[in-house]
């Protein structure tokens, strides 16, 4: 099956710093989602981004499908950005999601 | 509108007990998924429903796990004779349309199951 790898596994930032999270996948995909799992465990949709670039406030994402990777940019990080960031791709009948292992982000004030 | 809801939010069970976890998807969503998330890992697929039909149960770890969605809306995941390795967060997600690669899945808050 498809492999989804995320890097770095964890990241500590000072408030106000910028960061880039990476997601590599081993096969072609028609869709990719980025999620933020907050400290209470809720998975929050950030982006649906099969290709190209999207921006939402301080967050933006870019997927280069031909090179099988996606990037999530966080600018001017805030303590509320802390949590785990997952990328996921659909596979198989029904489009069940295959998740990466996540990047743990801690933003210090 | 309301998102995906799950109950209970927390469940402590003694080993060997049966448990039932409930998911209320977003109204009108045809597709419903269950995932299991072990501590420190990403969610892993368990089973998929399109309306009331269970079309993929390839991720269920054993025959102790059973899921149903009898009227095509609310779903229940049942675990019989729970074991300690069943301790995890069980996540439910729904999406609007089946089989279309561009439909976003929306997740509930999860049920944290601890088996003692």
């Amino acid at each position: 099956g498809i492999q989804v790898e995320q890097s770095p596994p964890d990241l500590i930032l000072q408030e106000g710093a910028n960061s880039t999270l990476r997601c590599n996948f081993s096969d072609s995909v028609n869709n990719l989602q980025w999620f933020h799992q907050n400290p209470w465990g809720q998975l929050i949709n950030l982006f649906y981004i099969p290709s190209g670039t999207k921006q939402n406030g301080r967050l933006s994402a870019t997927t280069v499908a031909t090179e099988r990777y996606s990037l999530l940019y966080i600018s001017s990080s805030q303590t509320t950005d802390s949590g785990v960031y997952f990328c996921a791709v659909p596979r198989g009948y029904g489009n069940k999601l295959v998740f990466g292992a996540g990047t743990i982000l801690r933003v210090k004030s | 509108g309301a998102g995906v809801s799950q109950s209970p939010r927390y469940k402590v069970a003694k080993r060997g007990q049966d448990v039932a976890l409930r998911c209320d998807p977003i109204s009108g969503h045809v597709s419903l998924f269950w995932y299991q998330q072990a501590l420190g890992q990403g969610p892993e697929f368990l089973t998929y429903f399109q309306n009331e039909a269970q079309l993929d149960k390839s991720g269920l770890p054993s025959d102790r796990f059973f899921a149903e969605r009898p009227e095509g809306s609310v779903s229940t995941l049942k675990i019989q004779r729970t074991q300690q390795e069943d301790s995890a967060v069980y996540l439910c997600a729904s999406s609007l349309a089946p089989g279309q690669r561009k439909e976003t899945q929306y997740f509930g808050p999860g049920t944290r199951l601890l088996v003692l």
Side-chain angles (χ1 to χ4, degrees):
Chain A
I2 192 169
Q3 303 298 313
V4 181
E5 296 181 352
Q6 293 187 242
S7 59
D10 55 79
L11 187 58
I12 301 174
L13 297 177
Q14 197 65 38
E15 198 169 27
N18 304 327
S19 63
T20 301
L21 281 56
R22 186 175 180 104
C23 174
N24 291 334
F25 37 95
S26 60
D27 201 354
S28 59
V29 298
N30 284 1
N31 179 11
L32 185 141
Q33 289 185 237
W34 282 99
F35 295 90
H36 174 215
Q37 189 165 43
N38 65 22
W40 295 270
Q42 176 73 56
L43 273 169
I44 300 164
N45 289 317
L46 296 178
F47 293 100
Y48 158 86
I49 183 162
S51 63
T53 297
K54 290 187 177 179
Q55 181 150 9
N56 184 3
R58 296 182 296 103
L59 302 182
S60 65
T62 296
T63 295
V64 183
T66 53
E67 297 187 20
R68 300 181 182 173
Y69 73 89
S70 183
L71 302 174
L72 178 69
Y73 306 95
I74 305 173
S75 64
S76 305
S77 58
Q78 300 176 358
T79 56
T80 52
D81 295 332
S82 296
V84 186
Y85 289 80
F86 290 103
C87 64
V89 298
R91 261 310 178 256
Y93 193 73
N95 295 320
K96 59 194 175 194
L97 291 177
V98 178
F99 284 80
T103 292
I104 301 172
L105 176 64
R106 286 179 265 255
V107 181
K108 295 185 171 182
S109 59
Chain B
V4 179
S5 61
Q6 293 186 244
S7 61
R9 292 294 311 278
Y10 303 92
K11 177 70 179 177
V12 179
K14 292 183 179 179
R15 190 162 51 111
Q17 222 177 344
D18 297 349
V19 298
L21 313 180
R22 177 187 169 107
C23 172
D24 283 83
I26 295 172
S27 178
H29 277 198
V30 171
S31 296
L32 185 146
F33 303 82
W34 284 97
Y35 295 85
Q36 181 189 59
Q37 186 175 20
L39 190 63
Q41 298 182 20
E44 293 190 352
F45 170 78
L46 293 176
T47 187
Y48 160 64
F49 289 87
Q50 177 180 320
N51 294 306
E52 69 279 3
Q54 188 176 20
L55 298 183
D56 186 348
K57 51 182 181 179
S58 62
L60 295 177
S62 78
D63 58 8
R64 296 186 296 105
F65 287 70
F66 171 76
E68 60 184 5
R69 194 186 184 197
E71 298 179 358
S73 55
V74 171
S75 177
T76 303
L77 176 66
K78 297 179 180 178
I79 309 173
Q80 297 176 323
R81 304 181 304 281
T82 52
Q83 300 179 5
Q84 287 184 324
E85 60 261 32
D86 300 335
S87 296
V89 176
Y90 291 85
L91 295 164
C92 176
S94 69
S95 66
L96 183 59
Q100 294 184 15
R101 292 184 176 276
K102 297 190 176 184
E103 286 302 328
T104 299
Q105 291 185 29
Y106 297 91
F107 281 79
T111 295
R112 292 180 181 269
L113 173 65
L114 177 62
V115 181
L116 301 177

